[in-house]
């Protein structure tokens, strides 16, 4: 979610609709799909199939989002549903069987399935945003050629933390 948020900070209302070609999805379409998928999967997920009758998956691939603000509201709604569902779980729930498309999964398997699905789409969002912004792109992770400097900083902080922890 954080990587998506950082990509959104670098694009505007026009950018959310950019597509590489007619077969490609825009960022707005990907967000609409992520939200629809998450709402379907995680609403009442312990008691009903993850593919809800009210979901219109085909509509998720129509670019109908008006602006970036509306897109982010949809993004937040989908993630909130997922987080609320996961946060409500007890350890014993992780081995319960739930259904997605009438196929049984443990709750843990369903979580892993969803996270893999979301990661692939967030990667698409980041890649599209990077194509749109070109040389103005600000990487949300470690910049090219900066791995050593990043690691030196992180490991120096760890050594300093260890020094203070050991000398209490």
């Amino acid at each position: 979610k954080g990587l998506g948020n950082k990509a959104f900070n670098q694009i505007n209302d026009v950018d959310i609709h950019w597509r590489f070609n007619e077969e490609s999805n825009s960022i707005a379409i990907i967000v609409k799909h992520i939200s629809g998928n998450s709402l379907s999967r995680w609403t009442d997920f312990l008691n009903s199939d993850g593919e809800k009758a009210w979901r219109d998956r085909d509509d998720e691939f129509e670019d109908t989002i008006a602006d970036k603000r509306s897109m982010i509201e949809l993004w937040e709604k989908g993630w909130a549903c997922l987080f609320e569902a996961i946060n409500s779980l007890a350890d014993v729930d992780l081995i319960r069987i739930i259904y997605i498309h009438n196929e049984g999964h443990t709750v843990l398997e369903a979580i892993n399935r969803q996270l893999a699905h979301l990661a692939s789409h967030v990667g698409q969002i980041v890649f599209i945003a990077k194509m749109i912004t070109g040389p103005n792109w600000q990487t949300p992770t470690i910049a090219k050629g900066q791995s050593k400097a990043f690691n030196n900083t992180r490991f120096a902080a760890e050594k300093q933390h260890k020094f203070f922890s050991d000398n209490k």
Side-chain angles (χ1 to χ4, degrees), residues 117-133:
H117 181 242
L118 292 170
S120 70
H121 287 310
V122 170
Q124 291 172 327
I125 289 168
V126 170
F127 186 72
I128 293 167
K130 187 174 181 178
M131 287 193 299
I132 292 167
T133 58

Side-chain angles (χ1 to χ4, degrees), residues 1-8 27-28 30-32 34-36 38-39 65 68-83 118 121-123 125-126:
K1 182 178 185 291
L3 289 176
N5 290 340
K6 289 176 182 178
F8 298 154
I27 290 174
I30 296 168
V31 168
K32 192 175 172 185
I34 287 173
S35 182
S38 293
L39 292 169
I65 296 177
K68 183 177 162 182
R69 181 190 54 75
S70 301
M71 180 191 78
I72 291 173
E73 285 175 7
L74 205 54
W75 169 261
E76 294 295 339
K77 185 177 178 181
W79 282 101
C81 184
L82 167 66
F83 292 146
L118 292 170
H121 287 310
V122 170
I125 289 168
V126 170

Side-chain angles (χ1 to χ4, degrees), residues 10-168:
Q10 299 184 56
I11 60 174
N12 61 40
D13 284 342
V14 173
D15 295 338
I16 68 168
H17 301 290
W18 182 86
R19 297 184 323 169
F20 177 73
N21 61 33
E22 289 299 312
E23 295 301 313
S24 300
N25 292 319
S26 67
I27 290 174
I29 289 172
I30 296 168
V31 168
K32 192 175 172 185
H33 170 61
I34 287 173
S35 182
N37 179 270
S38 293
L39 292 169
S40 183
R41 293 293 178 266
W42 299 105
T43 299
D44 192 37
F45 75 103
L46 291 174
N47 303 305
S48 63
D49 193 281
E51 187 61 25
K52 305 295 187 282
W54 47 258
R55 181 181 183 200
D56 187 354
R57 185 179 182 279
D58 291 333
D59 180 67
E60 293 168 14
F61 294 95
E62 298 296 325
D63 195 347
T64 59
I65 296 177
D67 54 31
K68 183 177 162 182
R69 181 190 54 75
S70 301
M71 180 191 78
I72 291 173
E73 285 175 7
L74 205 54
W75 169 261
E76 294 295 339
K77 185 177 178 181
W79 282 101
C81 184
L82 167 66
F83 292 146
E84 184 178 319
I86 290 175
N87 288 335
S88 72
L89 294 171
D91 290 347
V92 68
D93 292 325
L94 296 176
I95 58 172
R96 286 183 60 176
I97 301 297
I98 62 168
Y99 293 88
I100 301 171
H101 295 285
N102 204 32
E103 178 184 342
H105 298 71
T106 65
V107 169
L108 186 58
E109 288 170 336
I111 291 169
N112 285 331
R113 175 180 169 159
Q114 186 73 9
L115 294 179
H117 181 242
L118 292 170
S120 70
H121 287 310
V122 170
Q124 291 172 327
I125 289 168
V126 170
F127 186 72
I128 293 167
K130 187 174 181 178
M131 287 193 299
I132 292 167
T133 58
N136 296 322
W137 175 250
Q138 295 178 12
T139 186
T141 57
I142 303 167
K144 285 182 183 180
Q146 298 299 312
S147 297
K148 285 184 183 179
F150 177 83
N151 284 339
N152 287 340
T153 301
R154 294 301 293 244
F155 287 104
E158 182 180 310
K159 286 178 187 176
Q160 185 177 20
H161 176 72
K162 183 174 176 11
F163 173 79
F164 287 117
S165 295
D166 290 346
N167 292 301
K168 283 188 176 179

